[in-house]
Amino acid sequence: MSQIAFITGVTSGFGAACARQFAAHGWHLIVCGRRQDRLEALRAELAATVPVHAVALDVRDEAAVNAAVAALPADFAEVDLLVNNAGLALGLEPAHQCPMDDWQRMVDTNIKGLLYCTRAILPGMVARNRGHIVNIGSVAGNHPYPGGNVYGATKAFVRQFSLNLRADLLGTRVRVTNIEPGMAETEFSLVRFKGESGPSAKVYAGTQPLQAEDIADIVYWTATRPAHVNINTLEVMPVCQAFAPFAISRTG
Ligand code: NDP
Ligand code: 8X3
């Protein structure tokens, strides 16, 4: 029997690559994102291969998330896999200079949006005693860096929430995974620098970053382990990325 994946943020980057990867393996798809032109183009592309239900959805809108899940057509209603991928970073300023609006958008999307989608879909999984939630966290949730203030904190939330879900779901066959990628070349930096392509391109210049397909491959692998196997967390970086020593100020 074909499985059903609900993937958020499919109009770019990891989400688009995940949708293509699962479609290539015959999964039926529910795909979500805000940009309707891109969403429709992806739906049309994938619908040639598998059944696809596309929903223009802002994950920050709790009522819209609940309505979209409640209105799933019968053929798509029994979601086997939720990929909570929609998310963003805004800015790299130090905390005392960040616009509050940027912080609010990151919290509303990366934390609250993920919660809305999880809370809408998880009860069905528990009732069916089957399902898997794959959250897209980040190395930024594990390792601090200058300017990562609220973005990293939202991803630390995702990590701990994922682990706490595992605790709550003990005794069910519902699985939970947090994938924690490092530097990956998507529209992530373009969004972080608010459409400025110069600084965004600099992030990846002279490196061999992860590609969206690398993450889609990992999400697919995670979701297709035998039913008794749960990958709790999986952190992945490109080989060109590693850790720095602690920073020391000698000016006081
Ligand atoms: P992209 O900017 O390429 O893609 C982000 C996707 O999220 C887009 O499809 C966007 O679609 C969607 N999205 C953003 N806000 C909302 C919203 N409010 N409602 C619905 N969809 C939304 O970036 P990535 O693919 O790189 O990012 C995907 C996830 O991976 C994010 O959670 C990010 O934090 C995480 N990540 C990225 C890393 C990287 O280096 N690239 C590394 C580690 C984690 P639309 O604008 O159409 O709504
Ligand atoms: C994205 C990776 O290092 O830019 O989550 O925060 S990083």
Side-chain angles (χ1 to χ4, degrees), residues 9-246:
V10 298
T11 56
S12 174
F14 299 167
C18 284
R20 292 193 174 101
Q21 174 85 341
F22 282 89
H25 289 90
W27 286 56
H28 299 192
L29 297 176
I30 302 148
V31 290
C32 309
R34 291 169 304 173
R35 284 168 288 182
Q36 297 209 25
D37 50 343
R38 291 188 184 205
L39 189 64
E40 174 48 28
L42 186 77
R43 189 206 61 75
E45 174 193 325
L46 300 181
T49 314
V50 290
V52 182
H53 178 68
V55 193
L57 185 64
D58 186 329
V59 297
R60 294 172 297 178
D61 184 340
E62 182 183 7
V65 169
N66 288 335
V69 173
L72 287 174
D75 289 356
F76 290 92
E78 299 198 349
V79 175
D80 296 291
L81 171 69
L82 167 62
V83 182
N84 272 318
N85 165 73
L88 79 171
L90 291 168
L92 266 176
E93 296 95 336
H96 54 284
Q97 291 168 359
C98 291
M100 181 53 76
D101 181 57
D102 285 358
W103 283 4
Q104 286 166 339
R105 278 180 60 199
M106 289 188 279
V107 168
D108 288 349
T109 310
N110 302 356
I111 296 181
K112 292 166 81 175
L114 181 144
L115 292 180
Y116 299 150
C117 294
T118 302
R119 190 62 184 81
I121 289 172
L122 183 58
M125 289 181 171
V126 172
R128 292 186 290 279
N129 200 21
R130 184 181 86 231
H132 193 164
I133 297 179
V134 174
N135 293 326
I136 305 296
S138 169
V139 294
N142 302 337
H143 312 284
Y145 62 81
N149 40 68
V150 166
Y151 176 67
T154 66
K155 294 302 188 178
F157 175 94
V158 172
R159 178 188 175 89
Q160 197 62 25
F161 181 60
S162 304
L163 295 173
N164 281 338
L165 277 178
R166 286 274 294 130
D168 284 355
L169 291 167
L170 184 68
T172 78
R173 298 188 68 76
V174 180
R175 303 188 286 181
V176 184
T177 301
N178 189 36
I179 308 283
E180 302 166 342
M183 181 175 64
E185 189 170 17
T186 62
E187 293 180 12
F188 177 83
S189 291
L190 195 63
V191 171
R192 173 169 246 173
F193 293 111
K194 302 178 179 171
E196 281 189 55
S197 53
S200 159
K202 264 194 194 160
V203 172
Y204 309 113
T207 73
Q208 187 175 4
L210 297 170
Q211 298 297 315
E213 291 71 23
D214 297 321
I215 302 306
D217 200 32
I218 289 168
V219 173
Y220 183 75
W221 177 82
T222 299
T224 53
R225 293 309 82 217
H228 67 286
V229 176
N230 191 94
I231 308 295
N232 295 341
T233 57
L234 193 158
E235 184 182 275
V236 51
M237 285 177 171
V239 172
C240 67
Q241 185 176 30
F243 314 100
F246 286 121

